[in-house]
Amino acid sequence: MPTKLPKTDVVVVGVGWTGGIIAAELTKQGLKVVGLERGKERTTKDYYMVHDELRYAFHYELMQDLSRETVTFRNNEQMRALPMRRYGSFLPGENLGGAGVHWNGMTFRFLPYDFQIYSKTVERYGKNKIPDGMTIQDWGITYDELEPYYDKFEKMAGISGEENPLGAKRSSPYPNPPMKETPLLTLFKQAAKSLNLHPYMSPSANLSQNYTNPDGISRVACQYCGFCERFGCEYGAKADPVVTVLPVAQKSGNFTLVTFANVLRIIHDGKTAAGVVYVDTRTGEEFEQPADIVVLTSYVLNNTRLLLLSKIGRPYDPHTGQGVIGKNYCYQTMGAAAQGFFENKQFNLFAGAGALAMCLDDFNGDNFDHSSLKFIHGANISVSQTGLRPIANNPILPGTKSWGKDFKAQSIRYANSVFSVGAQGASMPHRYHYLDLDPIYKDIYGQPLLRITFDFEDQERELVAFLGQQTEKIAKAMGADKVVTNTKLGPYNIVPYQSTHNTGGVIMGADPRTSAVNHYLQMWDMENLFVVGASAFAHNSGYNPTGTVGALAYRAAEGILKYHKNGGSLA
């Protein structure tokens, strides 16, 4: 029998970006918030003088313990799903701050097309443009409605950037100027302009200058050390929940953080959530945390799993197309890229930052005519200078053995004379791509693991073929002596790392028959339960998702305050 704790106004499950934003916004308004984090607490001091590539980039110290809980995966329903035993295609984070600590800092806004993708696609190309099985739908919110929340997130995080020439209108400029334009980025910009494209500096959560945000939180400028992705920032220059929103919540006196608290289920009577039950991961003791409002803010996959374990909402059935929990799981379509090698040109590629990049959106969203193409949407194309760490980077030409004398010689020769023009492609939902509970495998507490059923379709293969050609044109225009291009996409393989941008499963929309949450991320089926994060995405765009996740979190916080005051459905 769990030990029952005193009731609180709001319990937040997972304390990363979304949990931190929700906690900060609600506690500022006087609500009592309990934040449950299954990992440990950590601060910027944990990363002092630990540029340890093996510890963080290869031994994954900031990531989830897969021996306690993982996911199972299969490409289709004819296959038996097997557990992901080692880190591969994506890296779920753990501990305070979650993936918001080890991210790169890319902070894009989605395009207006994304939020009305079904309507806009039909309007321009007709219904026949959408292939059988593709389940795109409008999000139940427009870009204009979400824009004020993008603005709020960017000012809180201190995003450094410049206006996207092909992006949507903004209510105000980025709060900080773009990061330094290195010689490699300048080369990309000149090449892109020579092709009549529209390059711009990628929006970055790595501060370009010292900054104090509207909450009074001050941080220092980025040092371009190159240890961002898979690392915590020792300077606090990279925005993360621990150095931005959580201090605001803690200062309010209304926030209680409970670490090592793994939530097992949501307590409810079918209509109203009453709180959650969690287990202390150190002792195994169970606790019941009652609350007036429950907010799920864990990673995409965990939000979906917790609803399925708690039997809340209608599980998605791919055979009938009915149900919503687990629907429209999407990923990110990587693979289209051109790698350039110089024989007599060098750059300081060991220096960089996670979001130091130049990019363009000429082939993203519906910014180009798809009439003769066999896919919709597109990708953000970029060249990045994230800092090439010494162990992971050994650039060699195709045909070179991956060991021995030639491998060593080429690794040294091209260490600072190589670049990659890459395309981060959108991922469209498909009827048979979904999340459910695995019937066989369980976690350390005896609960079913989440099962992913997913593969790439013709949509993704056509997208990679087209975008690979565009990256090659840019790489050649940059003057590389050798260009190696990829335009092929095989079946989805969960083993090699690709992206941690999983989305969907608890999608938002305007119709409770086809979506799980409304435009405030309030559950249609349970008004005092909110589910916040990329789980709400009805598809994934050709961008990094964190900017949109942050905007939706601010939108949800506003909705929770409205619900706390007046109750009822917000849509």
Side-chain angles (χ1 to χ4, degrees), residues 127-135 429-431 457:
K127 285 187 176 180
N128 290 336
K129 186 66 177 176
I130 303 171
D132 290 342
M134 183 183 287
T135 55
H430 188 275
R431 179 172 181 168
E457 305 290 336

Side-chain angles (χ1 to χ4, degrees), residues 45 58 88 91 109 116 122 125 146 151 231 239 274 276 309 324 408 421 448 471 550 564:
K45 291 181 180 177
F58 287 90
L91 302 173
R109 297 182 175 198
Q116 298 170 284
V122 171
Y125 305 106
L146 195 58
D151 187 65
F231 296 82
V276 300
L309 289 174
V324 291
K408 293 177 182 176
V421 179
T471 63
H564 181 262

Side-chain angles (χ1 to χ4, degrees), residues 211-440:
Y211 176 68
T212 300
N213 76 10
D215 289 319
I217 301 294
S218 296
R219 295 159 40 223
V220 298
C222 177
Q223 305 298 303
Y224 297 86
C225 71
F227 284 77
C228 294
E229 185 184 34
R230 305 183 186 184
F231 296 82
C233 179
E234 65 188 291
Y235 306 103
K238 180 177 69 175
D240 75 43
V242 177
V243 299
T244 54
V245 288
L246 287 175
V248 176
Q250 288 161 338
K251 187 180 178 182
S252 72
N254 295 319
F255 180 59
T256 301
L257 173 67
V258 183
T259 53
F260 302 105
N262 191 340
V263 174
L264 301 176
R265 60 185 177 276
I266 303 163
I267 307 165
H268 66 94
D269 61 5
K271 295 181 179 178
T272 305
V276 300
V277 170
Y278 69 87
V279 59
D280 186 316
T281 59
R282 299 163 298 183
T283 65
E285 187 178 3
E286 292 189 6
F287 296 88
E288 178 182 331
Q289 177 59 67
D292 291 329
I293 300 172
V294 175
V295 189
L296 303 189
T297 53
S298 57
Y299 186 58
V300 173
L301 305 176
N302 300 331
N303 280 351
T304 304
R305 179 173 181 250
L306 200 48
L307 290 175
L308 292 171
L309 289 174
S310 304
K311 301 186 186 307
I312 296 175
R314 293 160 293 129
Y316 174 66
D317 181 344
H319 302 286
T320 65
Q322 302 299 308
V324 291
I325 307 301
K327 179 184 176 184
N328 280 28
Y329 167 76
C330 291
Y331 190 49
Q332 196 89 69
T333 307
M334 312 302 283
Q339 191 174 30
F341 295 82
F342 286 107
E343 298 297 337
N344 298 301
K345 188 186 291 289
Q346 288 196 329
F347 308 93
N348 290 330
L349 299 180
F350 57 87
L356 180 60
M358 184 77 74
C359 65
L360 54 88
D361 285 321
D362 297 76
F363 305 105
N364 204 356
D366 202 31
N367 286 344
F368 59 112
D369 185 11
H370 291 70
S371 298
S372 62
L373 301 172
K374 297 178 181 178
F375 66 92
I376 63 171
H377 216 298
N380 177 267
I381 292 177
S382 68
V383 66
S384 300
Q385 190 167 337
T386 58
L388 297 185
R389 297 184 295 270
I391 300 175
N393 296 286
N394 295 282
I396 56 175
L397 289 166
T400 307
K401 292 179 180 177
S402 58
W403 53 275
K405 182 180 177 182
D406 290 345
F407 172 78
K408 293 177 182 176
Q410 286 206 17
S411 294
I412 295 170
R413 179 176 184 179
Y414 294 115
N416 286 302
S417 300
V418 66
F419 67 89
S420 179
V421 179
Q424 180 166 235
S427 177
M428 296 298 106
H430 188 275
R431 179 172 181 168
Y432 291 101
H433 300 168
Y434 63 99
L435 307 172
D436 66 354
L437 294 178
D438 192 282
I440 300 173

Side-chain angles (χ1 to χ4, degrees), residues 17-18 21 90 99-100 103-111 114-115 139 146 149-150 153-154 159 203 229 299-300 330-334 364 380 424-427 497-504 532-553:
W17 263 130
T18 54
I21 290 171
F90 50 87
W103 71 316
N104 258 334
M106 294 282 190
T107 317
F108 292 94
R109 297 182 175 198
F110 283 8
L111 297 164
D114 283 307
F115 301 101
W139 288 38
L146 195 58
Y149 308 95
Y150 272 122
F153 180 76
E154 290 168 356
I159 303 304
E229 185 184 34
Y299 186 58
V300 173
C330 291
Y331 190 49
Q332 196 89 69
T333 307
M334 312 302 283
N364 204 356
N380 177 267
Q424 180 166 235
S427 177
Y497 181 78
Q498 293 159 67
S499 169
T500 304
H501 304 162
N502 295 285
T503 66
V532 187
S535 53
F537 290 12
H539 70 275
N540 197 12
S541 183
Y543 291 115
N544 302 64
T546 303
T548 300
V549 168
L552 289 174

